[in-house]
Amino acid sequence: SSAKCGACGPGYKTPLDAMKGPREEIVYLPCIYRNTGIEKPDYLATVDVDPKSSHYCQVIHRLPMPNLRDELHHSGWNTCSSSFGDVTKKRNRLLLPSLISSRIYVVDVGTDMRAPRIHKMIEPVDVFWKCGLANPHTTHCLGNGEIMISSMGDPSGNGKGGFILLDGETFEVKGNWEKGSNLPALGYDFWYQPRHNVLMSTEWGIPKVRIGNPKRSYGRHINVWDWTTHVFTQSIDLGEDSIPLEIRFLHNPDAAEGYVGCALSSAIHRFYKTGNGTWAAEKVVQVPSKKVNGWLFPDMPGFITDILISLDDRFLYFSNWLHGDIRQYDISNTRKPRLVGQVFLGGKIPRDGPIVVVEDQELKCQPEPFVIKGKRVQGGPQMIQLSLDGKRLYVSTSLYSAWDKQFYPDLVKEGSVMLQIDVDTEKGGLKVNKNFLVDFGKEPDGPVLAHEIRYPGGDCSSDIWI
């Protein structure tokens, strides 16, 4: 039980122990007003996801930030399963880095889990001066009590792949994690694996360019770091215009492999340790582009934006934000993922929309528009989070406010949604739960863009076992 776990430090001893953890009752999502035309601060929403509750599928609390236009994006914990066994540690602070303002909020979720409050604010100037970094993205807790946040740029808006270290008790900025002068030009997501003395990071793009000439401004590498010396040692090229975003090791801390999702090339690459101790990657899934009329370009990529691995390392999930589907692959053979589940939730190509698919290697006809509880969903499936037992997949539809506005203007007008998919964990298979809808178009201050989903006790994209 969770009480028993609380007595031995945060998190769970193993990923398989985590699968036996309690069912999620609430989730946290950052909600973004930047680029929506509504001049209100972003906030952290607490949503009730307990089917037995009278507030099921409702936002039960909102914690507004004290500033405008931060662009909250991803979140992470002060401590997690990497500190399992340390009874002095509690998972009671959620970190909210702001992608655009570079401010970092530390939120107290320990005092009242259902009504978080701000514990501390780290101002951008601290991050700029002490680290020479900006545009913080992914937060991971380290086993030594520190907190590490990857960055996408420097204070002038140029690309720079580095890491901000925070003290896990005081939340002071300690400085940079990386050592040496050789640094990757770009940063985004990361994952570490001490048993293999490695940290892997990915690349999105140059912050000040955002949407420009992809050949000049977008990432294409997995960057490999020595975990002990903090030195950048190797770069794995995944090809031009690939944009590798989310990176996930298998959860088993002995595993020397994992997957990365590439947005623009719409491919999943498996990365792995080679016989001589270096790292390599191979493409294991390719989502074919669709030939279309009535869109910006004649070829529409799937646009893989988020990926997840179940805690037992049996299934890989990912979302195609433009095509509108979520997929489940059996990865019992990690080199040959096998498609076992697929469900369409919106996207750019519903049959009654302005875009006509003229050539499709996968579908016989364009999918039906996605309507749930009378609401037609705008946008496509984007951030995903899996329940600990692997049976429920939660989905939200906003990617990044500027891209939402460009690709899905109606999503910005109507607000995003959160959905839930029932997962067959025996044979594989995905089915939308028709009773579950959180409509962020109905928020008190107007439609909002809800992003990444987190459970109070940690989940399969926040916890690292060492």
Side-chain angles (χ1 to χ4, degrees):
S1 75
S2 51
K4 199 168 110 230
C5 261
C8 41
Y12 300 91
K13 192 175 183 181
T14 68
L16 295 179
D17 284 347
M19 287 189 86
K20 302 184 192 109
R23 183 186 167 125
E24 65 288 350
E25 291 178 0
I26 57 168
V27 299
Y28 302 124
L29 297 91
C31 291
I32 291 89
Y33 273 125
R34 186 175 164 267
N35 276 317
T36 64
I38 296 172
E39 287 291 301
K40 291 282 181 177
D42 298 349
Y43 58 94
L44 183 69
T46 307
V47 177
D48 188 323
V49 295
D50 177 6
K52 298 191 289 290
S53 160
S54 56
H55 300 292
Y56 184 49
C57 287
Q58 289 173 24
V59 179
I60 55 171
H61 186 267
R62 298 170 186 86
L63 174 68
M65 299 302 124
N67 300 280
L68 291 172
R69 293 182 288 281
D70 281 313
E71 186 98 27
L72 299 181
H73 195 63
H74 286 206
S75 59
W77 295 106
N78 60 323
T79 185
C80 64
S81 292
S82 61
S83 305
F84 181 82
D86 183 343
V87 292
T88 65
K89 302 257 190 293
K90 279 193 175 63
R91 188 181 334 230
N92 58 0
R93 303 282 184 265
L94 185 66
L95 282 96
L96 295 175
S98 306
L99 199 55
I100 299 303
S101 69
S102 298
R103 203 172 270 109
I104 301 166
Y105 296 100
V106 183
V107 174
D108 170 5
V109 296
T111 307
D112 183 348
M113 198 191 286
R114 288 170 176 267
R117 55 191 78 173
I118 289 183
H119 173 71
K120 182 175 174 150
M121 261 192 311
I122 299 162
E123 287 299 336
V125 65
D126 264 5
V127 178
F128 298 164
W129 280 108
K130 292 182 181 167
C131 303
L133 295 173
N135 310 102
H137 187 271
T138 300
T139 305
H140 278 302
C141 28
L142 309 187
N144 65 1
E146 292 175 325
I147 296 160
M148 184 152 141
I149 305 175
S150 58
S151 79
M152 288 174 55
D154 70 11
S156 317
N158 304 301
K160 186 178 183 183
F163 303 91
I164 302 152
L165 272 185
L166 303 183
D167 182 286
E169 300 294 323
T170 63
F171 303 100
E172 292 297 316
V173 178
K174 294 178 82 167
N176 301 64
W177 177 83
E178 69 276 7
K179 304 259 195 295
S181 53
N182 180 27
L183 294 179
L186 299 168
Y188 185 69
D189 193 26
F190 76 103
W191 198 279
Y192 62 87
Q193 197 48 286
R195 291 190 195 182
H196 298 285
N197 191 36
V198 70
L199 179 145
M200 300 276 198
S201 63
T202 58
E203 308 184 328
W204 178 5
I206 297 169
K208 67 181 171 192
V209 177
R210 306 258 200 280
I211 299 166
N213 175 350
K215 292 185 175 42
R216 280 213 313 276
S217 52
Y218 287 134
R220 57 186 288 176
H221 301 97
I222 302 175
N223 296 310
V224 184
W225 305 74
D226 183 298
W227 179 245
T228 315
T229 63
H230 307 188
V231 172
F232 170 44
T233 57
Q234 191 195 338
S235 203
I236 305 168
D237 192 346
L238 302 180
E240 190 164 64
D241 296 354
S242 52
I243 318 191
L245 295 183
E246 309 298 327
I247 188 159
R248 314 279 185 234
F249 264 91
L250 295 185
H251 295 287
N252 174 357
D254 282 330
E257 60 180 327
Y259 298 97
V260 63
C262 297
L264 203 50
S265 61
S266 303
I268 301 281
H269 293 258
R270 169 185 170 258
F271 61 84
Y272 58 95
K273 198 177 193 173
T274 65
N276 65 8
T278 60
W279 293 80
E282 58 179 355
K283 182 160 74 172
V284 290
V285 177
Q286 176 67 60
V287 176
S289 288
K290 300 180 191 297
K291 294 242 180 285
V292 295
N293 290 335
W295 195 54
L296 304 161
F297 309 105
D299 289 294
M300 182 187 286
F303 217 72
I304 297 173
T305 48
D306 198 15
I307 74 170
L308 269 193
I309 299 172
S310 61
L311 285 167
D312 55 6
D313 292 334
R314 183 158 166 228
F315 295 112
L316 169 75
Y317 299 86
F318 67 79
S319 51
N320 283 309
W321 192 56
L322 293 179
H323 288 179
D325 59 317
I326 284 188
R327 302 184 181 207
Q328 176 192 27
Y329 285 79
D330 184 317
I331 50 169
S332 309
N333 176 350
T334 52
R335 297 194 65 180
K336 291 200 164 53
R338 194 165 55 83
L339 181 64
V340 290
Q342 183 177 28
V343 63
F344 278 83
L345 308 167
K348 294 297 292 182
I349 55 163
R351 174 174 79 70
D352 62 349
I355 294 168
V356 179
V357 179
V358 290
E359 195 183 305
D360 195 323
Q361 294 177 36
E362 294 187 319
L363 301 179
K364 301 254 190 310
C365 57
Q366 292 180 230
E368 294 298 316
F370 181 67
V371 178
I372 182 164
K373 294 199 157 200
K375 182 184 167 86
R376 179 172 181 151
V377 171
Q378 304 294 345
Q382 207 285 99
M383 292 308 293
I384 52 179
Q385 190 55 267
L386 190 65
S387 61
L388 295 177
D389 63 8
K391 291 179 177 168
R392 291 168 301 288
L393 189 71
Y394 293 90
V395 185
S396 61
T397 49
S398 159
L399 171 59
Y400 159 61
S401 65
W403 285 18
D404 292 353
K405 197 168 154 181
Q406 186 187 9
F407 290 109
Y408 287 115
D410 289 342
L411 167 66
V412 178
K413 281 197 211 76
E414 293 186 30
S416 64
V417 298
M418 180 164 79
L419 306 164
Q420 188 231 300
I421 294 166
D422 292 320
V423 179
D424 182 333
T425 53
E426 299 294 311
K427 299 189 287 288
L430 301 176
K431 194 162 144 257
V432 178
N433 176 349
K434 289 291 195 182
N435 297 315
F436 188 103
L437 171 68
V438 184
D439 182 355
F440 288 96
K442 295 195 160 63
E443 285 294 271
D445 286 326
V448 74
L449 302 167
H451 197 63
E452 192 191 40
I453 300 153
R454 283 267 174 255
Y455 310 141
D459 47 60
C460 59
S461 56
S462 66
D463 272 28
I464 293 179
W465 281 266
I466 59 176

